[in-house]
Amino acid sequence: MDIPRDPIILVGYVNTKLRDHFSTLEEFCQTYDIEEEELRSTLLSVDYQYDETINQFV
C-alpha cells in the first residue's frame, strides 16, 4: 500500500494509523517499510514532531 506523499495529508494518515493500529512509530515504520528518520524529517518540514507519550505527530 502506498502512503501519501503530501506532508499535510501524510500527517493525518500516519496519525490515524498510529491511533487505530500501531502502538509505536517504530512498529508503523517496520510494517510499511519506511525509514523512521525520513518520515520524521518529512513531517518536521511542516512543523509536526512525534510525541511518544501520545503516539501521535503534533
Side-chain angles (χ1 to χ4, degrees), residues 4-48:
R5 300 251 181 239
D6 180 280
I8 299 300
I9 296 171
L10 179 60
V11 73
Y13 177 84
V14 172
N15 278 343
T16 299
K17 292 291 185 181
L18 290 171
R19 181 192 67 218
D20 295 345
H21 302 287
F22 299 99
S23 58
T24 66
L25 180 59
E26 180 181 8
E27 184 183 341
F28 170 83
C29 289
Q30 288 175 349
T31 299
Y32 286 94
D33 194 28
I34 297 169
E35 292 292 327
E36 184 175 335
E37 286 306 312
E38 186 176 330
L39 176 61
R40 286 176 180 260
S41 177
T42 297
L43 295 182
L44 186 58
S45 74
V46 289
D47 297 323
Y48 283 90

